[in-house]
Amino acid sequence: MKHILFFGDSLTAGYGLPAADSFPARIQEKLDAAGLPYRAHNYGVSGETSAGGRQRLASVLARQAPDVFVLALGANDGLRGIPVRETVANLRAMLHEVRRQFPAAQLVLMGLDFPFDLGPLGLPGLSRYAQDFSALFRTLAEAEGVAFVPSLLAGVLGRPELNLPDRVHPNAAGQRLLAANVWAVLAPLLHVVA
C-alpha cells in the first residue's frame, strides 16, 4: 500500500462536515474506484497557518512516510495578511524537508485564489496583496519543480450554494468539487488512465 498525505488546514480537514465528506476522503473513493493501492491520509488542521504547518510537519512525517505529499496551506496566512515572503519561505521549507527525507515522494502544491470571499470579513484595500498572494503558489511550484493544482477552490469560491453559511468553507457538494480539482492533477501522477 502506498500513501498520499494531504497536509493542510480547514479546507483539507473538511471543517464543519463529517470526515467522509472531506476532499481527501473523496479522493480515497476515486483511488478505490480506479483500483489503485493508495491510502489517502487527511492531515488537515483547522486554523493552521504555513508557520504552524512548518512546525507540525516533522511529527506527521515521523508517523507516516509519504509516496505523494500534497501541500495545501496558506489560506489562513492570506486571511491574516501575513507577508507573502513569509508564506513562501514556510511552504518552500516544507517542500524541501519532505524532499530531503523522502526523495522519491511526488510533491503537489495547491494554489489558492485571493480574495477567498472577503465580503463577510470586510477587508478593504487588499488588491495588491491579493495579487501577490494568488501568484505565490504558481511561482513557487515552478521554482521547485512540483506538481501544481492551479486553484483548490475553483468552481466553489463565491458560490453560496457550495459553501457553509460562513461563506468561507465548502459544504459537502463543494468538497466534491475540491476533490475533482485535485484529482485532475493527481490522477496523471498516479498514471490513472481516463
Side-chain angles (χ1 to χ4, degrees):
M1 186 64 68
K2 295 184 176 182
H3 301 277
I4 304 175
L5 273 58
F6 291 92
F7 192 76
D9 50 35
S10 58
L11 298 174
T12 301
Y15 174 86
L17 301 170
D21 285 332
S22 69
F23 82 78
R26 297 301 183 192
I27 293 288
Q28 184 66 60
E29 292 173 357
K30 293 176 183 296
L31 293 165
D32 294 344
L36 294 170
Y38 284 88
R39 182 70 49 225
H41 300 269
N42 189 337
Y43 286 104
V45 172
S46 292
E48 183 122 280
T49 60
S50 64
R54 188 173 177 178
Q55 292 178 335
R56 180 170 62 103
L57 181 62
S59 65
V60 170
L61 295 179
R63 193 175 318 139
Q64 183 61 65
D67 295 285
V68 181
F69 183 85
V70 181
L71 181 55
L73 283 170
N76 290 305
D77 294 43
L79 290 173
R80 296 176 190 186
I82 290 171
V84 166
R85 69 182 176 280
E86 291 182 25
T87 301
V88 170
N90 289 326
L91 296 174
R92 178 177 284 123
M94 287 183 271
L95 293 171
H96 285 187
E97 184 58 22
V98 175
R99 191 173 274 153
R100 185 186 72 76
Q101 288 191 44
F102 303 97
Q106 297 191 72
L107 304 179
V108 181
L109 181 65
M110 296 290 171
L112 289 167
D113 293 312
F114 194 96
F116 305 100
D117 182 356
L118 292 180
L121 303 174
L123 300 173
L126 288 178
S127 63
R128 177 57 193 264
Y129 178 81
Q131 289 173 349
D132 291 347
F133 181 87
S134 296
L136 80 85
F137 298 96
R138 180 178 297 278
T139 302
L140 180 61
E142 290 173 354
E144 294 298 327
V146 302
F148 180 60
V149 176
S151 175
L152 176 60
L153 293 169
V156 178
L157 186 66
R159 294 182 60 188
E161 72 276 15
L162 294 175
N163 287 279
L164 296 176
D166 65 12
R167 295 169 55 193
V168 174
H169 295 98
N171 60 23
Q175 284 279 339
R176 284 185 185 277
L177 274 176
L178 269 57
N181 294 338
V182 175
W183 187 246
V185 172
L186 197 56
L189 290 181
L190 305 180
H191 309 295
V192 177
V193 179

